[in-house]
């Protein structure tokens, strides 16, 4: 493989202020291979281990309505092995998978044909909801039978077991709206194992035991729904966003049965290509050593048509929206959300500072107003707090007494309006910046957490954005925060959630 | 036509140029890890105080930790440990107000925790390196001159009973966490019934406690020979060692309290303890006590537990519940030892209610199987590699990790022999050793089963 581009980029230490700036120094080394695969390395001589991450630029944003959670499900399927990892007789197993695939095609045809006959268009669904026909039953039974036969020729955990055997730790995969990543923490001199397994996973995954794994997503969904807060936050997300998939959860119960091997395969083949992939290594390895090794395992992959990146554009805000939620178990509250830009936009870093400063300030304001409640400001949408697409900043006032809801909303909105006109004291901003800086150090000291941040920024925008992002937070002033509030905290960009007790008459 | 094309792509033979050598044949090198020498990081003061200090300068942070051999059951004065924990968390050193203490922590952007266990506690203060001087002053004050008052007892008492009008008590996170957490709590209440580990202070205990009692507890256990210290971060080791001598060298040596030896638990026959819970999911905890395990048997037990259910994705429990059948997201085993008395050995799972009994049967089946059959060569190979080359080395991977590991080991055992021999002991484990460990430390006849579900099932 020819080296397409070879960049050695050492981030340069800031000159001032000394304590904060020079410690954002991230000695990231980059190499981009001819096929577009990106390798990022932080060399830590003396470390006898290496944290390894492989990021793919795909996630829930690439799903289609009706099959929410399909990206997350793909991640589960990619743990099921390959022809060379997990099969005891690939020739026979392969034949059975081909039969399963054909049966699934027939099942899809039958489901299409029978849709009007079944009238399966109810409003109320759970994961057990299903109507059927004799042909559907027959095909499902066939798939189940073929799967059981295929299982005879395969073994479970075929990839993770080798990481474990050779001292790998923390093997996990995560899929969020914008990314899927697999990571591991290995002895540095065994890095070949990571490269061998991940290259195989990326190209040759076999979706074994598909239907049993589908039920694991049901379990994980129940893990979410067991929180009484979940339905409220999901309703609030869908209120805030009108177009962007960033506001969709990782699968409703009625989505799970819709997943097909065919669709999962299409997602896999479209997105798991070299030029949509970033490897991040931090530990006792060097870039020079890693280039030939990565080339050995990934170099045969050809550059593919680059998957289209999700743009995440929202229509211009045009009106205030309101959600009234009633709950007997969830504490009364008022929540105000505003859409904000994603990472890569110059306004985005200062929102981190704004959240810190305004949270403390608003807490003091509501307390002084005699409101018994606590303020939380975050930018969490579904599971993630930072995106490369527009999302929202969420200002939540949780109350001890529902009778204060009206007063709480009035106080909160009045103060947010004021904060768009008058700056807060500079020392409040300085304190918040110190807190954010210290939190960043706590992230950066952990190789795994740092590798994730680097990969995440690469997916959101570019790994080169990370350091300027941190620096921009330090550079934000009280006037900047005022200007942000004035620009974004406007009525037409606002969504309000109000949680009332069930006892309040409707 | 499209379908045929797709099939061809799906099962295309991997590229000939792709290296798909099996991991066993890759020639991966033998482990080169050696445990660091604790003597290189150790500072011993004349009064018996032992500290471990290491540089870790990737970022400008410092962590100051103290480990004290004093916990909930160390003393006859019920509630004193909990009250002391509140003093450590909220009051801070004497000479400054509680408000100033909290403000100081906030100004430093400190991460400050006080964790209280049955037999020991841990204080940890993580701050920016620029605040090291202030943090050291606080740290010394916490260990040598803590401010203790009746208010600490009141706040500790308040945390014993739930606040009925707390709006979050019945809400989401608490509901979920509380359910598995509650199942585990119920298990230990049953296990430690009539045992000192099961004893918890009551409101009457707190009512009869005063600040002098808490101060007496503090004076008895917070003595140089009964605690260890760990300091790591962006520091100069010589500078820190000098400062520790200055700050703690004049602390008078005192009698070291003898650790309280705990009796064994009274074993009972297997029983189901059903708690009615109508929910989207059901919770299951199976287990029994874990007696004090002799060092020579610990390695085989760890290997056995790794194979059966330690927290990873390829355990026998996971295969027989999650992977084959899709019953649950997790089914794992937990070896929870104590320092001077019996711990617990539990197996836990959560699932939709209609399959929880299947999970129980499959988990129990695996616990019985591992007592009846030798594990496979591959299982043994994987477990030994995972423990010797994975979980053990990361305890020493940087200054933060190694100072904590050494400080805890020194406090618990008085030496570092256990970690020195760990890898050798793990690598020496045989299939017969695993079988012996399973037969000795897994006792189906004593398994207590805690079930949170709408309906009970039979365990016969």
């Amino acid at each position: 493989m020819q080296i397409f581009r070879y960049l050695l980029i050492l981030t340069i230490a800031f000159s001032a202020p000394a304590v904060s700036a020079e410690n954002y120094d991230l000695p990231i080394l980059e190499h981009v291979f001819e096929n577009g695969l990106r390798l990022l390395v932080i060399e830590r001589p003396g470390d006898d281990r290496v944290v390894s991450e492989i990021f793919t630029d795909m996630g829930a944003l690439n799903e289609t309505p009706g099959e929410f959670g399909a990206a997350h499900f793909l991640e589960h399927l990619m743990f099921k092995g390959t022809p060379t990892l997990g099969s005891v007789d690939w020739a026979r197993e392969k034949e059975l998978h081909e039969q399963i695939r054909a049966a699934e095609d027939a099942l899809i045809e039958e489901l299409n044909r029978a849709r009007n006959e079944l009238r399966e268009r109810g409003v109320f669904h759970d994961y057990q909801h299903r109507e059927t026909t004799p042909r559907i039953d027959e095909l499902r039974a066939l798939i189940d039978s073929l799967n059981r036969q295929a299982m005879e020729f395969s073994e479970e955990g075929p990839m993770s077991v080798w990481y474990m055997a050779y001292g790998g730790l923390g093997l996990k995969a995560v899929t969020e709206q914008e990314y899927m990543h697999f990571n591991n923490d290995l002895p540095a001199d065994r890095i070949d194992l990571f490269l061998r397994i991940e290259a195989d996973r990326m190209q040759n995954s076999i979706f074994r035991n598909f239907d049993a794994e589908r039920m694991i997503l049901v379990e994980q969904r129940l893990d979410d729904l067991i929180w009484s807060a979940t339905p409220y936050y999901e309703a609030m997300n869908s209120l805030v966003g009108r177009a962007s998939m960033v506001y969709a959860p990782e699968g409703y119960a009625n989505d799970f049965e819709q997943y097909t091997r065919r669709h999962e395969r299409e997602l896999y083949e479209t997105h798991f290509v070299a030029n949509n992939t970033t490897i991040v290594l931090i530990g006792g390895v060097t870039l020079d050593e890693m280039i030939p090794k990565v080339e050995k395992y990934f170099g045969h992959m050809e550059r593919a048509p680059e998957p289209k990146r999700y743009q995440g554009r929202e229509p211009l805000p045009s009106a205030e929206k309101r959600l009234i939620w009633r709950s007997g178990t969830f504490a009364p509250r008022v929540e105000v959300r505003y859409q904000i830009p994603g990472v890569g936009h110059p306004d985005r870093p200062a929102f981190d500072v704004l959240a810190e400063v305004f949270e403390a300030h608003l807490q003091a304001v509501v307390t002084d107003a005699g409101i018994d409640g606590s303020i939380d400001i975050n930018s969490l949408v579904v599971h993630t707090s930072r995106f490369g697409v527009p999302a929202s900043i969420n200002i939540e006032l949780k109350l001890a007494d529902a009778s204060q809801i009206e007063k709480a909303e009035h106080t909160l909105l009045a103060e947010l309006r004021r904060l768009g006109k008058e700056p807060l004291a500079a020392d409040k901003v300085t304190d918040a910046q110190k807190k954010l800086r210290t939190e960043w150090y706590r992230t950066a000291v952990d190789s795994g957490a740092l590798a994730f941040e680097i990969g995440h920024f690469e997916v959101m925008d570019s790994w080169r954005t990370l350091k300027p992002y941190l620096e921009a937070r330090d550079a934000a002033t009280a006037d900047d925060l005022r200007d942000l509030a004035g620009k974004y905290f406007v009525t037409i960009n606002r969504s309000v959630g109000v949680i009332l007790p069930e006892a309040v008459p409707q | 036509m499209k379908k045929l094309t797709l099939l061809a792509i799906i099962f295309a033979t991997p590229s000939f140029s792709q290296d798909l050598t099996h991991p066993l044949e890759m020639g991966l090198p033998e482990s080169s890890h050696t445990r660091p020498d604790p003597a290189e990081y150790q500072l011993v003061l004349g009064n018996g105080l032992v500290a471990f200090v290491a540089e870790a300068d990737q970022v400008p942070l410092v962590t100051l930790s103290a480990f004290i051999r004093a916990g909930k059951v160390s003393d006859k004065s019920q509630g004193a440990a909990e009250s002391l924990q509140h003093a450590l968390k909220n009051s801070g050193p004497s000479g400054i107000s509680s408000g100033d203490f909290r403000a100081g922590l906030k100004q430093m952007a400190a991460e400050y925790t006080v964790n209280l266990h049955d037999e020991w506690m841990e204080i940890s203060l993580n701050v920016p390196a620029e605040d090291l001087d202030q943090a050291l002053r606080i740290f010394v004050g916490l260990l040598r001159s803590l401010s203790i008052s009746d208010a600490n007892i009141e706040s500790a008492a308040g945390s014993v009973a739930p606040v009925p009008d707390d709006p979050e008590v019945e809400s989401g996170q608490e509901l979920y966490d509380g359910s598995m957490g509650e199942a585990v709590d119920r298990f230990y209440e049953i296990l430690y019934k009539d045992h000192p580990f099961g004893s918890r202070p009551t409101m009457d205990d707190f009512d009869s406690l005063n600040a002098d009692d808490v101060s007496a507890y503090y004076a008895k256990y917070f003595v140089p020979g009964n605690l260890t210290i760990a300091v790591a971060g962006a520091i100069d080791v010589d500078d820190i060692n000098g400062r520790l001598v200055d700050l703690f060298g004049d602390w008078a040596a005192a009698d070291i309290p003898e650790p309280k030896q705990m009796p064994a638990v009274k074993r009972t026959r297997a029983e189901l303890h059903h708690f009615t819970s109508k929910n989207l999911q059901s919770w299951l905890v199976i287990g029994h006590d874990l007696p004090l395990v002799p060092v020579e048997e610990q390695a085989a037990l760890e290997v056995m537990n790794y194979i059966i259910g330690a927290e990873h994705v390829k355990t026998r429990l996971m295969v027989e519940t999650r992977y084959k059948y899709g019953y649950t997201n997790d089914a794992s085993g937990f070896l929870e030892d104590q320092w001077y008395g019996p711990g617990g050995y539990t197996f836990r799972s959560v699932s939709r209610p209609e399959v929880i009994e299947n999970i129980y049967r499959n988990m129990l089946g695996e616990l019985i199987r591992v007592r009846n059959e030798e594990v496979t060569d591959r299982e043994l190979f994987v477990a030994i590699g995972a423990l010797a080359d994975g979980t053990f080395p990361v305890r020493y991977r940087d200054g933060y990790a190694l100072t904590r590991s050494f400080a805890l080991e020194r406090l618990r055992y008085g030496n570092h022999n256990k970690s020195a021999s760990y890898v050798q002991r793990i690598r020496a484990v045989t299939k017969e050793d695993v079988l012996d460990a399973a037969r000795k430390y897994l006792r189906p006849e004593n398994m207590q089963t805690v079930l949170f579900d709408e309906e009970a099932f039979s365990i016969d």
Side-chain angles (χ1 to χ4, degrees):
Chain A
M1 182 171 59
Q2 298 295 314
I3 294 176
F4 173 66
R5 193 150 54 105
Y6 180 18
L7 294 173
L8 177 64
I9 298 175
L10 278 167
T11 52
I12 300 165
F14 253 53
S15 54
V19 171
S20 62
E22 68 183 13
N23 292 299
Y24 289 146
D25 189 29
L26 293 166
I28 300 169
L29 308 176
E30 180 187 61
H31 178 87
V32 180
F33 293 90
E34 184 181 15
N35 60 15
L37 177 71
R38 189 182 307 276
L39 171 65
L40 304 172
V41 178
I42 292 183
E43 300 175 353
R44 288 191 168 161
D47 190 346
D48 61 7
R49 297 186 69 88
V50 59
V51 165
S52 317
E53 288 266 11
I54 183 163
F55 268 80
T56 303
D57 191 336
M58 74 88 68
L61 297 182
N62 303 103
E63 294 168 354
T64 51
E67 295 196 73
F68 289 155
H72 178 208
F73 188 41
L74 177 59
E75 169 215 308
H76 282 234
L77 297 172
M78 290 174 67
F79 271 88
K80 298 292 185 181
T82 66
T84 55
L85 293 177
S87 186
V88 294
D89 185 340
W90 174 237
R92 295 176 71 184
E93 192 193 347
K94 177 184 172 187
E95 188 181 326
L96 288 160
H97 284 295
E98 287 172 352
Q99 291 176 40
I100 290 171
R101 180 58 194 246
E104 186 191 82
D105 286 344
L107 177 62
I108 291 168
E109 287 176 16
E110 173 62 9
L111 287 166
N112 290 346
R113 189 202 64 75
R115 190 192 72 151
N116 289 356
E117 182 181 319
L118 292 173
R119 306 290 177 195
E120 192 182 14
R121 300 168 194 172
V123 170
F124 296 101
H125 289 266
D126 61 29
Y127 67 88
Q128 295 173 311
H129 175 86
R130 59 179 64 184
E131 297 291 337
T132 188
T133 68
R135 176 66 176 152
I136 289 172
D137 289 344
E138 178 189 326
L139 287 165
R140 284 187 169 139
L142 174 61
I143 291 171
D144 187 50
S145 168
L146 291 167
N147 181 67
R148 270 188 273 110
Q149 294 173 58
M151 291 276 284
E152 296 294 315
F153 300 109
S154 66
E155 54 187 11
E156 288 293 349
M159 297 164 136
S160 54
V161 70
W162 300 115
Y163 281 136
M164 289 148 52
Y166 289 101
L169 282 179
L171 169 65
K172 66 178 180 185
V174 175
T175 305
E176 293 287 358
Q177 282 92 337
E178 292 179 288
Y179 61 79
M180 185 188 300
H181 72 112
F182 295 83
N183 64 5
N184 208 272
D185 176 343
L186 276 164
D189 52 8
R190 294 176 178 171
I191 185 64
D192 280 73
L193 183 65
F194 175 80
L195 301 173
R196 182 258 179 263
I197 289 178
E198 296 311 320
D200 198 10
R201 191 199 308 272
M202 187 171 154
Q203 283 218 299
N204 308 312
S205 283
I206 304 299
F207 300 164
R208 296 181 168 108
N209 213 13
F210 189 93
D211 290 308
E213 197 61 37
R214 192 199 304 267
M215 294 310 293
I216 302 303
L217 259 67
V218 171
E219 280 299 322
Q220 294 186 348
R221 176 63 178 163
L222 294 180
D223 283 349
D224 283 342
L225 290 176
I226 205 82
W227 297 27
S228 59
T230 296
Y232 162 73
Y233 285 119
E234 290 182 352
M236 198 65 195
N237 289 340
S238 60
L239 178 78
V240 176
R242 284 178 286 171
S244 176
M245 294 286 288
V246 79
Y247 300 100
E250 290 174 27
Y252 295 106
N254 46 304
D255 289 315
F256 301 125
E257 202 174 72
Q258 305 298 317
Y259 302 153
T260 62
R261 293 162 183 79
R262 183 197 298 172
H263 182 61
E264 296 295 337
R265 183 62 59 180
E266 286 167 358
L267 278 175
Y268 177 66
E269 291 180 351
T270 302
H271 296 281
F272 286 81
V273 294
N275 45 324
N276 201 39
T277 301
T278 300
I279 294 174
V280 186
L281 306 176
I282 300 180
V285 296
T286 68
L287 180 69
D288 287 344
E289 292 166 355
M290 290 303 104
I291 289 172
K293 283 184 184 291
V294 174
E295 190 172 321
K296 174 181 175 184
Y297 294 101
F298 290 83
H300 67 281
M301 298 179 188
E302 292 182 4
R303 179 182 284 269
E306 191 162 302
K308 185 177 183 300
R309 299 195 78 181
Y310 182 82
Q311 301 296 316
R313 292 176 185 164
E314 279 284 313
L316 287 173
S318 56
E320 181 179 21
K321 292 169 278 184
R322 178 171 287 261
L323 174 72
I324 308 295
W325 190 264
R326 296 177 196 279
S327 171
T329 56
F330 198 36
R333 71 196 63 197
V334 175
E335 184 180 11
V336 183
R337 295 190 181 192
Y338 299 94
Q339 287 187 314
I340 60 172
V343 168
H345 189 283
D347 286 346
R348 181 61 182 82
F351 273 106
D352 292 355
V353 185
L354 180 149
E356 286 292 335
V357 177
F358 281 22
E359 184 173 286
H361 173 75
L362 289 170
Q363 184 64 63
V365 168
V366 299
T367 303
D368 288 348
I371 296 166
D372 187 359
S374 60
I375 289 276
D376 176 63
I377 301 184
N378 62 72
S379 51
L380 196 70
V381 179
V382 189
H383 301 133
T384 310
S385 59
R386 203 172 282 151
F387 301 89
V389 295
S392 67
I393 188 166
N394 317 321
I395 302 155
E396 196 169 10
L397 172 50
K398 188 165 57 184
L399 298 163
D401 182 355
S403 69
Q404 289 194 305
I405 281 180
E406 205 170 318
K407 181 180 180 182
E409 181 179 347
H410 175 78
T411 303
L412 195 57
L413 295 181
E415 189 60 19
L416 287 170
R417 271 194 299 276
R418 197 183 73 78
L419 289 171
K421 296 173 183 168
E422 298 172 27
L424 291 172
D427 63 328
K428 303 293 183 192
V429 179
T430 306
D431 288 349
Q433 287 165 327
K434 177 173 181 177
K435 185 179 176 192
L436 289 169
R437 208 160 47 236
T438 306
E439 286 173 354
W440 166 253
Y441 295 150
R442 290 184 183 125
T443 298
V445 76
D446 176 343
S447 297
L450 180 59
F452 168 77
E453 291 292 339
I454 292 168
H456 191 196
F457 267 79
E458 175 59 28
V459 167
M460 288 190 293
D461 189 52
S462 162
W463 65 267
R464 290 184 184 82
T465 304
L466 173 55
K467 185 167 178 269
Y469 186 97
L470 299 170
E471 292 163 353
R473 299 196 310 192
D474 273 345
T477 65
D479 286 347
D480 292 336
L481 304 190
R482 176 204 58 202
D483 293 346
L484 278 186
K487 179 178 177 182
Y488 290 93
F489 293 179
V490 294
T491 307
I492 59 168
N493 190 32
R494 185 163 72 208
S495 300
V496 180
V498 177
I499 300 179
L500 300 169
E502 280 179 335
V504 173
Q506 299 186 23
Chain B
M1 183 62 196
K2 186 178 178 185
K3 187 164 71 178
L4 289 174
T5 306
L6 199 57
L7 278 173
I9 293 169
I10 291 166
F11 300 118
T13 305
S15 164
F16 284 116
S17 59
Q18 183 168 11
D19 188 326
L20 295 170
T21 308
H22 194 278
L24 283 172
E25 295 159 3
M26 287 176 68
L28 294 167
E30 292 295 314
S31 172
S32 58
H33 180 264
T34 53
R35 190 208 61 169
D37 181 357
E40 290 182 16
Y41 304 92
Q42 182 175 292
L43 171 72
V44 182
L45 303 188
N47 55 18
L49 178 66
V50 179
F52 294 89
V53 181
E55 187 178 351
D57 62 355
Q58 301 100 314
V59 295
L61 290 175
V62 180
T63 296
L64 309 168
S65 302
F67 305 89
I68 305 97
R69 190 164 44 206
K72 294 175 187 172
V73 303
S74 303
D75 201 81
K76 63 179 184 298
S77 185
Q78 284 275 8
E82 288 81 359
S83 301
L84 182 65
Q85 182 188 26
H86 278 257
L88 288 162
K89 274 185 174 175
N90 304 311
S91 298
S94 57
I96 61 170
S97 71
S98 172
D100 286 346
F101 171 60
R102 303 301 305 176
L105 293 174
K106 189 176 177 189
Q107 184 274 325
M108 291 190 289
E111 198 169 73
Y112 175 53
T113 56
V114 181
N115 292 321
L116 176 64
H117 306 277
D118 281 340
E119 299 165 299
W120 60 285
M121 68 175 80
E122 176 178 3
I123 301 167
S124 178
L125 181 60
N126 174 267
V127 298
E130 67 196 32
D131 295 317
L132 176 61
D133 292 348
Q134 187 183 349
L136 267 173
R137 283 195 296 275
I138 287 177
F139 187 65
V140 172
L142 292 168
L143 297 180
R144 296 190 61 178
S145 59
L146 183 68
S147 175
I148 297 170
S149 70
D150 287 340
N152 305 132
I153 300 170
E154 288 172 24
S155 59
S159 64
V160 169
V163 182
D165 59 354
D166 182 342
E168 285 299 88
V169 164
E170 292 184 330
S171 71
Q173 180 65 61
E174 286 71 16
L175 183 64
Y176 174 63
D177 285 346
S179 295
M180 180 48 97
E182 206 170 312
V184 173
D185 287 348
R186 292 288 177 276
F187 171 83
Y188 277 108
E189 283 172 13
I190 292 160
L191 181 72
Y192 289 138
K193 188 182 176 192
D194 302 325
H195 188 277
F197 281 145
S199 175
R200 292 290 175 262
T202 63
M203 292 306 289
D204 286 345
D205 291 325
F206 286 113
D207 285 345
S208 61
L209 201 66
N210 61 46
D212 288 343
D213 299 322
V214 181
S215 295
Y217 180 100
Y218 178 66
K220 180 179 177 182
Y221 293 101
F222 279 56
V223 296
N226 200 47
L227 58 85
T228 54
I229 286 173
V231 181
I235 55 167
D236 179 283
V237 171
D238 291 338
D239 172 58
I240 290 294
N241 282 342
R243 292 209 214 185
L244 292 177
V245 170
D246 291 344
L247 295 167
F248 292 105
D250 64 344
W251 196 0
D255 291 340
I256 302 171
E258 278 296 315
K260 196 170 173 181
Q261 302 300 317
M262 292 290 153
V265 298
K266 185 180 173 186
R267 290 177 179 166
T268 56
R269 293 177 56 192
E271 191 176 344
L272 175 74
H273 307 271
H274 173 237
F275 298 87
T276 303
S277 165
K278 188 175 181 180
N279 222 321
L280 289 171
Q281 290 179 303
S282 300
W283 287 265
L284 179 70
V285 179
I286 313 169
H288 51 52
D289 68 289
L290 177 69
L292 287 171
V293 183
V295 172
E296 60 273 19
E297 295 178 9
Q298 287 174 2
L301 177 58
E302 281 195 49
V303 169
M304 187 275 287
N305 182 57
Y306 195 87
I307 292 169
I308 189 84
E311 289 179 89
H312 61 86
V313 295
K314 181 60 169 58
T315 65
R316 287 187 177 187
L317 295 185
M318 288 287 268
V319 169
E320 294 299 323
T321 57
R322 175 177 169 148
Y323 291 122
K324 282 189 180 173
Y325 307 106
Y327 288 156
T328 179
N329 194 37
D330 187 31
S332 295
F334 297 83
L335 276 174
E336 295 176 317
D337 64 346
Q338 296 271 23
W339 285 19
Y340 306 109
Y345 193 6
T346 60
F347 304 91
R348 307 170 192 173
S349 190
V350 54
S351 78
R352 51 200 186 276
E354 59 265 34
V355 296
I356 195 75
E357 183 176 351
N358 298 5
I359 291 174
Y360 168 80
R361 307 254 171 244
N362 291 8
M363 285 172 71
L364 194 64
E366 288 306 306
L367 301 182
I368 291 168
R369 184 163 76 94
V370 77
R371 297 176 80 251
N372 292 336
E373 302 170 6
E374 284 186 350
V375 298
T376 66
D377 288 332
R378 179 182 284 188
E379 286 176 320
L380 188 65
F381 171 77
V382 171
I384 287 174
L387 294 168
D389 300 346
T391 55
F392 182 73
V394 297
R395 293 175 201 162
Y396 306 94
R397 81 175 306 164
D398 63 18
Y400 296 100
L402 73 86
T403 53
R404 185 177 191 279
S405 295
F406 285 142
L408 260 176
E409 185 179 34
R410 174 68 180 234
L411 183 66
R412 182 169 178 179
Y413 300 106
N415 58 56
H416 301 284
N417 298 339
K418 192 162 178 279
S419 62
S421 64
Y422 182 86
V423 171
Q424 186 183 5
R425 286 185 290 117
I426 289 288
R427 293 203 191 286
V429 171
T430 65
K431 290 191 283 186
E432 293 76 18
D433 295 335
V434 174
L435 193 60
D436 290 345
R439 286 174 176 167
K440 183 168 181 180
Y441 293 104
L442 281 174
R443 304 188 315 276
E445 69 275 15
N446 297 126
M447 287 281 180
Q448 303 303 305
T449 299
V450 170
L451 173 68
F452 276 51
D453 192 13
E454 190 171 3
E455 295 179 9
F457 54 73
S458 169
I459 62 167
D460 294 334

